[in-house]
Amino acid sequence: MMRRCWIGMGAGLLVWGAGLVQAACLNPEVLHVALIPKNAQSVQEQAQAPLLQALRESTGKPVQMLPVASYAAVIESLPTGQAQVAELGPAGYALLAKRSTRFVPFATLSNSHEVGRYHSLLVVRADSGIRDIQGLRGRALALTDPSSTSGAIVPELAVPQLTGYKLGHFFARVVFMGSHDKALAAVREGKAQAAFVASSQLDEAGPAWRVLWRSPALVGSPFLLDTTLCPALQHAVRQAFLAKQAQLQPWLRIKNYRQVVPVTAQDYAGIQSLLTGAP
């Protein structure tokens, strides 16, 4: 009788403990999503509508897009609890991973069934007469955001290798425009003579631009989720991205991709190693 009593108590404790684990997980009333600002905010909000709707349907929760003005603001939105799901640049994720392993990459955008990749491009206007990077010495350069992989971090590493000078010494003026489309607009309007942008943000076949340099392939920007979210909610977020491909097609077309593919932290080991070895 005593043994049965202890067994019963043990089973009860296991159920009670499981309840505590479930109660301790994060289950927000509203799911907040933060995305890196590649376009103007008004364009950004309209473009994300299919994704936000897929998240609402999958999670059964209201979903709100968190307005952010910089890559750094997206990075900070996760540890501060302002957002539970976020898109970061590869370097942004690598920087966040140095601080915490609480946020994990689970998806990226691609044009095939494999992990999506893109390039950092150095571009000038096609009618500029500039044929190579040496023609930009002493000119003005437009970058996107200090935490952008293709629009700032890769250029900082690449320019010294290409020219023998640090980026700030080779160019007479370097300006951060805040997004890829604004960096391109600066060159188009003559406010800068060149820009570093992501290949996914530019029609390379168009007649307006000349590409002077292309980086090695970079793994696509990861979408991250907070692992303190309740397991069922984490699963629902993943499903919204990975199991609703047809519904997400309008969103993917705007972003110049065809599908969403799964990723893990290991896919970003290369960029983490690059940043660790950077001076």
Side-chain angles (χ1 to χ4, degrees):
M1 178 69 70
M2 183 65 71
R3 184 182 178 191
R4 285 198 298 271
C5 179
W6 278 110
I7 291 174
M9 288 178 65
L13 285 171
L14 285 173
V15 172
W16 178 74
L20 278 181
V21 171
Q22 184 69 16
C25 65
L26 183 63
N27 189 25
E29 291 185 6
V30 178
L31 190 70
H32 289 94
V33 180
L35 303 171
I36 52 180
K38 293 183 178 178
N39 307 103
Q41 185 66 31
S42 59
V43 175
Q44 185 103 326
E45 291 178 0
Q46 182 179 3
Q48 312 310 326
L51 172 63
L52 300 182
Q53 182 60 30
L55 282 166
R56 292 186 190 102
E57 294 175 4
S58 186
T59 65
K61 291 181 176 292
V63 179
Q64 293 182 0
M65 183 172 159
L66 189 70
V68 291
S70 68
Y71 285 55
V74 180
I75 295 172
E76 290 305 316
S77 72
L78 288 169
T80 58
Q82 298 175 73
Q84 296 78 48
V85 180
E87 177 193 24
L88 298 183
Y93 164 63
L95 293 171
L96 180 62
K98 287 182 178 181
R99 297 164 53 185
S100 173
T101 57
R102 171 179 162 184
F103 310 98
V104 297
F106 68 93
T108 190
L109 307 185
S110 178
N111 283 311
S112 70
H113 293 291
E114 298 179 351
V115 173
R117 298 182 186 276
Y118 70 110
H119 302 267
S120 173
L121 302 178
L122 174 61
V123 300
V124 297
R125 282 172 39 171
D127 62 1
S128 67
I130 300 171
R131 298 286 175 179
D132 56 38
I133 191 171
Q134 294 301 328
L136 289 170
R137 186 171 183 179
R139 305 291 188 97
L141 174 71
L143 298 178
T144 57
D145 182 283
S147 297
S148 168
T149 306
S150 58
I153 293 174
V154 167
E156 286 275 4
L157 297 172
V159 168
Q161 297 175 14
L162 295 170
T163 68
Y165 295 91
K166 290 184 177 180
L167 186 145
H169 294 161
F170 183 76
F171 293 94
R173 186 166 61 94
V174 178
V175 291
F176 287 99
M177 302 304 300
S179 67
H180 293 265
D181 60 341
K182 289 180 180 178
L184 289 171
V187 179
R188 189 182 302 114
E189 296 165 8
K191 297 175 182 178
Q193 284 70 58
F196 279 99
V197 295
S199 57
S200 59
Q201 302 297 308
L202 181 75
D203 179 10
E204 294 183 59
W209 303 101
R210 176 177 294 122
V211 177
L212 301 184
W213 178 81
R214 175 192 301 269
S215 76
L218 304 166
V219 179
S221 297
F223 290 88
L224 280 69
L225 58 76
D226 188 338
T227 58
T228 66
L229 291 173
C230 292
L233 183 53
Q234 290 188 48
H235 177 73
V237 169
R238 292 174 186 270
Q239 289 294 99
F241 280 82
L242 299 170
K244 291 180 175 286
Q245 302 277 345
Q247 184 175 339
L248 293 177
Q249 284 305 306
W251 173 64
L252 289 168
R253 282 195 295 271
I254 290 173
K255 296 177 79 68
N256 297 318
Y257 288 102
R258 295 179 182 175
Q259 62 188 54
V260 188
V261 296
V263 292
T264 67
Q266 187 57 39
D267 291 305
Y268 297 90
I271 188 67
Q272 289 179 299
S273 176
L274 177 65
L275 292 182
T276 300

